[in-house]
Amino acid sequence: MGSLIFFFLFCLFLILLIPGIVFLIAYIAARSRKKKQQALLEETGVPEYYAFVRYNTGNAQHEFFKIKAFQGSGMIYVEGRTIRFADTLHQHPHTFDLDECSIEWVDVNIVNGLLKWFSIEDRQAKYFFNIESGMFIFNTDASKPTTRSVFERLVQYQNQN
């Protein structure tokens, strides 16, 4: 009888431990993401308009076999007549001239986890962006922009003379 109780307590412990570990990892990832975002803001100052995004460059958007739906995360911001992108690892920064780039709505991309995307392309590169959302439980900010709202805002900047 004692071993049966021990077995049930052990099973209950495992059942509670696994979700606890998952939530701990999600919490640590959310904190890390916030620190990286804050570091990008400190580097650039607070620009006229900015949004934290996930991105893919060029052909990576359409690759079928990959671990994540995105290459990394970063910040897209408007500075004068340019759209600047800075990623958290400083590997793929790029500047798009608003007068010479193309901003297009891509919508849902099945290969990339049913996320909505938009693209910005110039003569040197094509980048795909969606909003950095993370796990829902740690992102309850209702004022957070959507991928569509960021796209529309960038098009609005592009159409201004």
Side-chain angles (χ1 to χ4, degrees):
M1 185 74 170
S3 62
L4 188 60
I5 292 173
F6 177 74
F7 175 75
F8 282 121
L9 287 175
F10 181 73
C11 288
L12 180 65
F13 174 73
L14 285 179
I15 290 171
L16 295 176
L17 180 67
I18 292 170
I21 290 171
V22 169
F23 279 111
L24 178 64
I25 290 169
Y27 175 75
I28 291 169
R31 284 189 46 193
S32 172
R33 184 173 39 256
K34 289 281 185 197
K35 285 181 184 178
K36 289 176 183 175
Q37 290 173 348
Q38 190 61 37
L40 282 174
L41 272 177
E42 288 173 6
E43 288 173 20
T44 61
V46 179
E48 181 179 340
Y49 176 75
Y50 69 93
F52 294 108
V53 294
R54 292 181 172 157
Y55 76 95
N56 279 324
T57 57
N59 292 333
Q61 177 74 1
H62 305 295
E63 290 176 3
F64 190 74
F65 294 108
K66 52 188 167 188
I67 295 174
K68 296 190 302 185
F70 54 92
Q71 281 181 267
S73 58
M75 183 173 77
I76 192 167
Y77 58 101
V78 175
E79 192 173 75
R81 291 293 299 159
T82 61
I83 297 172
R84 295 187 184 274
F85 172 68
D87 62 303
T88 56
L89 300 177
H90 305 292
Q91 294 177 341
H92 301 283
H94 196 74
T95 301
F96 299 94
D97 185 330
L98 277 167
D99 298 320
E100 296 179 13
C101 70
S102 170
I103 306 171
E104 296 178 359
W105 181 248
V106 177
D107 208 11
V108 174
N109 183 307
I110 294 172
V111 174
N112 288 301
L114 296 174
L115 300 170
K116 294 182 179 185
W117 297 82
F118 66 90
S119 68
I120 304 177
E121 182 176 15
D122 64 10
R123 292 181 181 153
Q124 289 91 23
K126 184 171 188 174
Y127 280 67
F128 295 86
F129 299 101
N130 79 355
I131 289 302
E132 169 90 41
S133 58
M135 290 189 68
F136 173 74
I137 193 166
F138 300 112
N139 284 296
T140 55
D141 185 2
S143 66
K144 188 173 188 155
T146 64
T147 301
R148 186 72 188 197
S149 70
V150 172
F151 163 76
E152 289 172 351
R153 187 76 182 265
L154 294 175
V155 168
Q156 194 176 41
Y157 275 104
Q158 188 176 42
N159 291 335
Q160 290 175 351
N161 289 327

